[in-house]
Amino acid sequence: MGNKKRYTGAEILIDALQKEGVDTIFGYPGGVLIPLYDALYDCKTMDVVLTRHEQGAAHAADGYARVTGKAGVCMGTSGPGATNLVTGIATAFLDSIPMVAISGQVATPLLGTDAFQEADLVGVTRPITKHNFLVKDIKELPEVIKKAFYIANSGRPGPVLIDLPKDVTTATMTGYSYPETIEMRSYRPNLDGHPGQIKRAATAIKRAKKPLVYAGGGVIISGAQKELIHLAETIDAPVTTTLMGLGGFPGDHNLFVGMPGMHGSKAANYALQNSDLIISVGARFDDRVTGDVSKFAPHAKIIHIDIDPASISKIITVDIPVVGDAQRILAELNKVVQPAKHEEWRAYLHGFKESYLYGYKNKSDVLMPQYVIEEMHRITGGDAFVTTDVGQHQMWAAQYYHFANPRRWITSGGLGTMGFGLPSAMGASFALDRGPVWSISGDGGFQMNLQELATIKINKLPVKIIILNNKYLGMVRQWQDIFFNKRYSSVCLTADCSCDGCGTEQECDTRGSYMPDFIRLSESYDIPARRVTDPGSITEALEWARDTEGPVLLECMVSPEANVFPMVAPGAALDEIIEDEELQDE
């Protein structure tokens, strides 16, 4: 762009997004964003996706970012449009997902006057963004945009908000040029680990008798899967990956012991509790993993490799911290670690996974949700892109779809956002150039953002929607089942207002009146749909979903009483495991 012509703030923003390589924007227009959308009208290099809700736009940008590794871009107008982005921004923040969110704002003379659709988005998003900007002068705009993408994509990734008053988008300036690089004295992420700490880590690994690699989402973000496999195989160490780390290490590798934590495998939890050295890579010791912190890994020294120095010893005291990019540090560590064998240690853990990492009792007369995921894994070859909402179905997908490759597993791990699955699948499909994505939801979560069916249909996205319908808010019901004496308060999605709760499906005479009818709902969006009720039909139905062009919806009527096992109660130690009684009786 030359220096003589005058350009509006909106035109500068669009040009800057193009220079950052943005090819897709998810958003919803409104009064103060009209100048921006007017500038986008003639843009031929970017997909401008009109979602049906700003929350859907934010989750779609998130899904796009998780597949590509690049910052997703979303925008909403001032006031409620911008606040509707907030759940999506917080979801990205908790999972370290790069995102640039653009919120419209009232004109600068109106700031602080409670003007129509004014909301303090800088204040609202301060705790849930890596950084945010309120642009008050068009001259600030180019540098702000450059900084926003640099901050979002570098170090520990995260969302950055640009709050853009209307008069900034309509102001004009000459002499515009977009900076090629940016310098920020107060923000310089450390990428290379300290050589002395890497050497200390190698020495500790050499002395360990029961080493365990505990890998998180940082492995995927940094692209360190190859280096992680090399390290684990060299030192013959079992590997457990967090919910966010699934796919960072192959789920079918003989060293893999499953996911740890509340719904982790017995092998993974016993590994953490009995290890003498935990090598944590890009994981943050979330409370869903550690359980009772005072009883966590009582025999282990801990090496913590993480790009965020604030994560070191934040929850668990660390013996050897190594701050930097996981891929770079593992590459250096692999140069100095000594090959080792730990047959006895691996044999001990293998005893917990001899026949399975997870288990359930399959039935011939009831469709089990675990079986649906297993069949889905089989007919997709185990390499599908999968999104979920949050709840029981999320845990079953994590347990039974054995992810072998990174960036295939797209789920809200940190914030636990219901309604994430469908719009994030939409964004992931755009990232794959309208490629196929499988979206697994429960019947509760699916209803939180189902309006995006329209966006999916209109854009011809091959999103394969699987609803595991147990007619409950299943995970809450499970907690009420185990910890609240089966007092099922406000979790049954079929009971009418006169119902005061129930114990079993057999006692209930209202369960047939489920609302909405997902088949008719889907067909109203011109999306083909089927309902499956018996186990014998699920394979053919999944193959139909896979082979049908474009989006489809498959409603699977699964066992209402199925629970997620194993389970560690909140606040318990990791080896205080609640197991499936049906399996124990066999």
Side-chain angles (χ1 to χ4, degrees), residues 212-220 224-225 228-229 232 237-253 255-265 267-269 271-272 279-284 288-289 357-358 395 398-399 401-406 409:
L212 175 70
V213 176
Y214 161 62
V219 170
I220 294 170
Q225 189 197 42
L228 186 69
I229 294 171
V239 178
T240 179
T241 62
T242 68
L243 181 73
M244 295 305 299
L246 292 174
F249 188 84
D252 55 358
H253 197 288
L255 288 173
F256 186 60
V257 294
M259 181 178 69
M262 179 173 284
H263 292 296
S265 74
N269 285 354
L272 283 165
I279 307 159
S280 173
V281 186
R284 60 187 177 90
R288 281 290 198 269
V289 168
L357 275 174
Y358 307 98
M395 293 297 109
Q399 292 176 337
Y401 198 98
H402 307 291
F403 293 90
N405 293 300
W409 170 239

Side-chain angles (χ1 to χ4, degrees), residues 349-359 374:
L349 297 177
H350 189 72
F352 298 112
K353 54 172 283 193
E354 193 164 6
S355 56
Y356 49 76
L357 275 174
Y358 307 98
E374 285 184 324

Side-chain angles (χ1 to χ4, degrees), residues 1 7-23 25 32-40 43 45-46 73-76 100-105 133 135 137-149 160-166 168-173 176-179:
M1 190 174 288
Y7 293 92
T8 68
E11 289 170 333
I12 290 171
L13 176 62
I14 303 309
D15 180 70
L17 294 178
Q18 291 173 311
K19 286 185 165 58
E20 289 294 336
V22 174
D23 56 25
I25 301 174
V32 304
L33 281 188
I34 290 175
L36 188 55
Y37 272 85
D38 186 64
L40 282 167
C43 180
T45 63
M46 290 187 279
V73 178
C74 58
M75 55 189 179
V100 174
I102 300 164
S103 55
Q105 185 54 275
F133 299 93
V135 185
D137 189 320
I138 188 174
K139 293 176 184 175
E140 302 170 4
L141 194 52
E143 186 171 301
V144 163
I145 299 168
K146 189 69 182 179
K147 284 182 177 178
F149 278 89
V160 176
L161 176 89
I162 302 174
D163 202 25
L164 201 55
K166 184 175 183 179
V168 175
T169 63
T170 56
T172 61
M173 67 177 285
Y176 161 71
S177 64
Y178 192 61

Side-chain angles (χ1 to χ4, degrees), residues 359-395:
Y360 69 98
K361 188 171 183 177
N362 208 355
K363 300 175 181 177
S364 60
D365 57 341
V366 179
L367 184 57
M368 298 301 289
Q370 301 94 328
Y371 181 58
V372 175
I373 304 297
E374 285 184 324
E375 281 300 277
M376 186 185 137
H377 177 270
R378 191 178 65 76
I379 69 126
T380 59
D383 200 30
F385 290 81
V386 177
T387 73
T388 74
D389 278 314
V390 170
Q392 286 182 313
H393 72 278
Q394 178 192 32
M395 293 297 109

Side-chain angles (χ1 to χ4, degrees), residues 443-483:
D443 44 320
F446 179 74
Q447 296 186 62
M448 288 196 170
N449 268 316
L450 59 79
Q451 77 283 344
E452 300 307 335
L453 288 171
T455 315
I456 287 169
K457 175 60 183 179
I458 288 170
N459 288 281
K460 301 176 181 176
L461 303 178
V463 175
K464 314 300 181 182
I465 302 161
I466 309 296
I467 300 176
L468 299 182
N469 188 348
N470 60 5
K471 303 179 181 179
Y472 277 117
L473 299 178
M475 189 60 87
V476 182
R477 187 206 62 80
Q478 175 168 338
W479 282 44
Q480 291 172 341
D481 182 353
I482 298 174
F483 306 119

